[in-house]
Amino acid sequence: MTSSIERTTPAGSDRRTFLQRVALTGVALGPGGAFLASCATGGGDDDDEAEEAPSGDVSEDNPLGIPEDQPLEIYIFDGGFGDEYATEIHQPIFSERWPNVTIEHHAAVDIAGELQARFVAGDPPDFVNNSGDGQMDPGQLISDGLLYDLSELFDAPSWDDPNVTVRDTLLPGAIEAGTRNGTPYVLNYAFTVFGIWFNQTLLDENGWPVPTTWQEMMDVCADIAAAGIAPWVYQGVTAPRYMNWPLLSMATKLAGPEILVAIDNLEPGAWGHEAIKESAAAILSLRENNYFLPGVEAMEFRDAQGLWARGEAVFCPSGSWLENEEADAIAENPTFQLAMMPDPLLSPDSVMPLETVRATAGEPYVVPADAENPRAAMEYMRAMLSLEGARGFSEAVTSLTSVAGASEGVTIEAPGLASAQAALQAAGDNVINWYYPSWYGDMENPGIDQATGALLRAEITVDEWADRCEAVATEVREDDSIDKQNRES
């Protein structure tokens, strides 16, 4: 994008010089466009950003002080959600209030492939939906000083009510999911509910109850197997980590959320907690009783999920994106009534209730630190977080958002999403999550992922699995080159 505004501040110049040097040497960029070395300057601070970016007059109608005559360039990941939600919902909402701001819209499948060179040149777009297989590593972008501090956005008045800040319109954990060292850099917009997914019609027709305890799960699995159907499927060789989700959720229900804090904070011995090992033993019992779809351990994740959706297995761990992801396969099974259940209790004496669910904000949107028009980009985010923007998104792409109450009054025809919404409402304040996968990407994949894959193939014992997970966490903890995060609760 061409702009008449020349930015000559030292911070912007230093960052650009560094990145251009990176482009020439090729030593700091890894596969997929992730930045693998820190900037020499660490990026400019907020004052530098404010001085170098054009701005307008701050007022009640313009709380972020956006320039009303500067264009806004955005990039949307054209993946599972497509990009029509941007062109048909969010952009019209923004443009109705800011008709003189020209939006230059781009859709891209490979975000890093499209934008890596522009980040290197110090000329990124203003707004990026940094998602998909070509996602740029957000943690490294933050470490390199390449993302804008979004504190002003979250402290600004909300789009719908000037007496309520943006942060107070969001579900718990939405801002924290994109925060590093106390500073928010990423807007995670979609809200994913995790659990065990199944065909409600199949259970009803056979009189199989929805299990609430692990013992009930094993009893139902025995009945399902006797009927010639595989009780469980998981995401195969591609992503055995999907089974970590019920494992950690059940352990947390048993012992309390403190065990997740210990894992995220890389505390020695966290993976060896008795509740975690008890949950791992429950997961292993599925293999020991031959309750997995035969051959699933060697399948690609979509192949495994597709067989599940076509009725060859009953239970599948995943997030609420599953319905959209497997829509075609589900459509081939006319009796398929998708539903979600919370992970069962390992014991009646569990600390947290059955209704506890893991849920988290995802689908990241960022403003580059070198953006020409960062304030308009944050204003665009403010429009996205309006009730109209959030409801429109949910209706268009079959996904909840991180805006509290946005799904109320919205007709959700997709049965899976309706089930996930009901589960989230039933959970109330009993919503859990863990952050180590986003804080330390390699810790989960390939680290914990490979250990869990071996456990699911019964190649290692529960104790050996815990030891391998602990070794992965220790490696991260003792690596001084990794920026550590701290979780208080």
Side-chain angles (χ1 to χ4, degrees), residues 345-474:
L345 296 177
L346 290 171
S347 166
D349 297 326
S350 294
V351 171
M352 301 189 77
L354 170 69
E355 292 78 12
T356 301
V357 296
R358 180 194 178 201
T360 182
E363 194 61 19
Y365 298 79
V366 299
V367 178
D370 275 330
E372 293 278 3
N373 200 353
R375 296 189 175 280
M378 287 192 292
E379 180 72 353
Y380 184 86
M381 289 178 168
R382 204 166 69 99
M384 290 173 61
L385 295 169
S386 68
L387 286 174
E388 182 182 359
R391 287 171 177 167
F393 180 86
S394 292
E395 291 173 338
V397 304
T398 317
S399 173
L400 303 175
T401 71
S402 55
V403 179
S407 63
E408 295 177 8
V410 175
T411 301
I412 299 178
E413 297 181 357
L417 184 62
S419 178
Q421 180 189 35
L424 186 62
Q425 291 173 341
D429 293 334
N430 294 304
V431 175
I432 61 173
N433 192 29
W434 47 90
Y435 299 108
Y436 76 87
S438 59
W439 286 352
Y440 316 112
D442 289 345
M443 178 175 167
E444 179 180 56
N445 182 22
I448 306 297
D449 205 7
Q450 291 184 348
T452 299
L455 180 72
L456 295 172
R457 295 188 298 272
E459 295 173 354
I460 58 176
T461 66
V462 168
D463 286 340
E464 289 169 337
W465 171 83
D467 289 344
R468 285 180 59 170
C469 293
E470 189 65 29
V472 171
T474 299

Side-chain angles (χ1 to χ4, degrees), residues 57-112:
D57 295 329
V58 175
S59 66
E60 183 176 340
D61 294 330
N62 187 5
L64 291 173
I66 81 165
E68 299 183 36
D69 58 350
Q70 295 291 320
L72 172 65
E73 185 182 14
I74 72 172
Y75 265 79
I76 302 295
F77 169 59
D78 190 6
F81 292 150
D83 73 321
E84 289 188 0
Y85 71 86
T87 58
E88 302 299 323
I89 298 167
H90 295 153
Q91 291 176 28
I93 293 173
F94 178 91
S95 295
E96 183 176 0
R97 187 169 294 189
W98 303 106
N100 294 326
V101 177
T102 300
I103 295 178
E104 184 179 341
H105 174 96
H106 306 272
V109 174
D110 182 1
I111 291 296

Side-chain angles (χ1 to χ4, degrees), residues 196 214 217-219 221-222 231-234 243 246 250 279-293 315 317 455-456 458:
I196 300 172
W214 192 254
M217 171 62 77
M218 297 304 288
D219 293 341
C221 285
W232 272 76
V233 72
Y234 67 92
M243 289 299 287
M250 291 193 299
S279 192
I283 295 299
L284 177 59
S285 69
L286 295 174
R287 167 61 63 194
E288 294 171 334
N289 286 278
N290 297 316
Y291 288 156
F292 285 131
L293 180 70
F315 298 113
L455 180 72
L456 295 172

Side-chain angles (χ1 to χ4, degrees), residues 18 95 139 163 173 245 258 273 298 321 328 402 419-420 458:
F18 169 79
S95 295
N163 296 313
W245 305 344
E258 294 80 8
H273 193 286
W321 65 77
D328 291 343
S402 55
S419 178

Side-chain angles (χ1 to χ4, degrees), residues 243-307:
M243 289 299 287
N244 284 337
W245 305 344
L247 191 162
L248 289 176
S249 291
M250 291 193 299
T252 303
K253 291 183 185 185
L254 180 62
E258 294 80 8
I259 65 173
L260 298 178
V261 176
I263 285 175
D264 286 340
N265 288 342
L266 306 174
E267 293 181 12
W271 286 93
H273 193 286
E274 285 304 313
I276 292 177
K277 291 201 291 187
E278 183 172 341
S279 192
I283 295 299
L284 177 59
S285 69
L286 295 174
R287 167 61 63 194
E288 294 171 334
N289 286 278
N290 297 316
Y291 288 156
F292 285 131
L293 180 70
V296 69
E297 65 277 0
M299 294 180 188
E300 296 296 315
F301 84 103
R302 290 299 303 276
D303 293 336
Q305 289 179 176
L307 291 173

Side-chain angles (χ1 to χ4, degrees), residues 154 166-180 183-192 194 264 357-364 385 401-404 424 428-435 438-439 487 489:
F154 295 124
V166 170
R167 73 171 62 247
D168 288 335
T169 67
L170 302 180
L171 290 168
I175 295 176
E176 288 77 2
T179 296
R180 297 292 186 277
T183 300
Y185 293 101
V186 181
L187 168 62
N188 287 288
Y189 186 62
F191 205 77
T192 298
F194 296 82
D264 286 340
V357 296
R358 180 194 178 201
T360 182
E363 194 61 19
L385 295 169
T401 71
S402 55
V403 179
L424 186 62
D429 293 334
N430 294 304
V431 175
I432 61 173
N433 192 29
W434 47 90
Y435 299 108
S438 59
W439 286 352
R487 176 180 177 182
S489 62

